[in-house]
Amino acid sequence: MLGNHFVYPVYLFAIAFFIDRKEWILLVVLILVSWGINELLKVTFAISRPPDELHLVSVIGYGFPSGHAQMSMILWGWVGRQFKILAPCALLIFLIGISRIYLGVHYPNQVLGGWVIGYTILMGWSFLENKKKK
């Protein structure tokens, strides 16, 4: 449940108390951009999930890239870098991705793809932020 889209407002609400408003707005934009990219890639590739009989939870839509894996990389990767708590955030990212395989809703390559895409977006975003600060 930690990676479900309906908990992101809770995360964003909690984070708002620890960062300034401009940073918070940029985080919201980052999350929305990543979500949009994920949806675009899912529709573009149209790669199916594992068979329904393997699913331990109900899901809809295409399987690649894993939205949970990508979005956890975005959110928890950002939190880890921002608050200098990379190890616990990396563990959380890993566990969220692995849970999708365990639940039978993604193949390993779909989770790996989500992580790679999320990491790429996050590092690109960080590069642009650093460049803007100079």
Side-chain angles (χ1 to χ4, degrees):
M1 301 302 276
L2 292 174
N4 286 349
H5 66 278
F6 60 82
V7 296
Y8 276 77
V10 175
Y11 297 147
L12 289 170
F13 178 77
I15 290 170
F17 291 102
F18 299 100
I19 61 176
D20 68 38
R21 184 179 173 160
K22 183 181 175 187
E23 283 181 290
W24 185 83
I25 290 170
L26 288 172
L27 175 60
V28 171
V29 171
L30 172 61
I31 288 170
L32 291 174
V33 165
S34 181
W35 171 78
I37 290 170
N38 184 267
E39 290 298 315
L40 179 65
L41 291 173
K42 281 183 183 277
V43 171
T44 300
F45 290 110
I47 297 173
S48 63
R49 295 174 180 272
D52 289 347
E53 56 269 9
L54 298 178
H55 297 186
L56 298 179
V57 294
S58 178
V59 292
I60 58 170
Y62 296 115
F64 180 83
S66 166
H68 280 73
Q70 181 178 327
M71 297 306 292
S72 68
M73 180 65 75
I74 293 294
L75 178 67
W76 298 113
W78 184 92
V79 168
R81 290 184 74 235
Q82 183 74 19
F83 297 106
K84 296 175 181 33
I85 52 171
L86 288 174
C89 289
L91 179 61
L92 191 55
I93 292 165
F94 177 75
L95 292 174
I96 289 170
I98 293 302
S99 75
R100 304 308 286 170
I101 298 167
Y102 173 80
L103 292 170
V105 296
H106 284 293
Y107 293 111
N109 65 324
Q110 295 172 339
V111 169
L112 183 60
W115 282 334
V116 169
I117 293 163
Y119 184 80
T120 302
I121 294 168
L122 184 60
M123 291 302 102
W125 188 269
S126 296
F127 174 78
L128 292 175
E129 280 189 331
N130 289 338
K131 193 172 183 177
K132 203 161 127 185
K133 289 178 184 176
K134 289 182 180 183

